């Protein structure tokens, strides 16, 4: 284990199965949140691309909260969509969640996710300024 690195583990089944943390905070204040989907309590939450995006970012926000951070600390987002037709819905959700923070953002169309019912996966990076 690396000194000064903090990890958030939520107990999601894939974390144990694949050996990863939901979020990792590095000593310099950078926080990396693993890919999040619209899986809540082990089940895919109902809804279309907009709702899945909001739910996926909420999973990321929950991880950030465990480190004492919020959406206002997010400096970068990545969104992976399975269909180009969903760009407007995903973009609308992103704007509603991040309009004040305005992080750098990337949106990619991918061939699929781990479950065909999922249409979006998100990643976030956040930054905590060091106390000087």
């Amino acid at each position: 284990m690396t000194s000064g690195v903090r990890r958030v583990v939520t107990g999601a089944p894939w974390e144990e199965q694949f050996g990863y943390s939901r979020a990792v905070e590095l000593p310099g204040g950078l926080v990396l949140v693993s890919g999040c989907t619209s899986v809540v309590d082990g089940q895919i939450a109902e809804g279309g691309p907009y709702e899945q995006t909001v739910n996926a970012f909420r999973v990321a926000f929950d991880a950030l909260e465990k480190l004492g951070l919020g959406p206002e600390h997010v400096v970068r987002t990545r969104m992976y969509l399975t269909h180009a037709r969903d760009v407007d819905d995903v973009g609308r959700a992103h704007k509603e969640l991040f309009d004040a923070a305005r992080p750098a953002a990337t949106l990619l169309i991918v061939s699929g996710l781990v479950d065909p019912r999922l249409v979006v996966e998100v990643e976030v990076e956040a930054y905590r300024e060091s106390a000087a």
Side-chain angles (χ1 to χ4, degrees):
M1 181 133 340
T2 307
S3 177
V5 173
R6 293 174 42 186
R7 299 176 197 286
V8 171
V9 178
T10 64
W14 289 321
E15 291 172 5
E16 181 61 32
Q17 182 179 353
F18 299 143
Y20 72 92
S21 299
R22 173 63 56 204
V24 176
E25 181 176 14
L26 303 173
L30 182 62
V31 176
L32 308 171
V33 180
S34 297
C36 300
T37 59
S38 187
V39 175
V40 178
D41 297 326
Q43 301 295 318
I44 295 174
E46 295 292 322
Y50 171 85
E51 292 83 8
Q52 283 198 21
T53 303
V54 170
N55 285 328
F57 278 120
R58 285 186 181 146
V59 170
F61 294 163
D62 287 347
L64 290 175
E65 187 177 307
K66 289 177 178 20
L67 294 167
L69 300 171
E72 69 277 10
H73 294 97
V74 173
V75 295
R76 181 177 183 87
T77 61
R78 290 182 189 87
M79 296 157 282
Y80 304 92
L81 287 68
T82 58
H83 300 286
R85 67 175 179 248
D86 298 332
V87 166
D88 289 341
D89 287 335
V90 172
R92 179 169 55 95
H94 188 276
K95 180 174 176 54
E96 288 175 10
L97 295 167
F98 294 105
D99 198 30
R102 296 285 174 125
T106 300
L107 190 146
L108 301 164
I109 307 301
V110 297
S111 63
L113 299 173
V114 297
D115 186 301
R117 295 172 294 170
L118 294 168
V119 298
V120 63
E121 183 165 339
V122 303
E123 295 177 354
V124 303
E125 295 178 17
Y127 181 73
R128 176 196 317 270
E129 283 197 48
S130 304

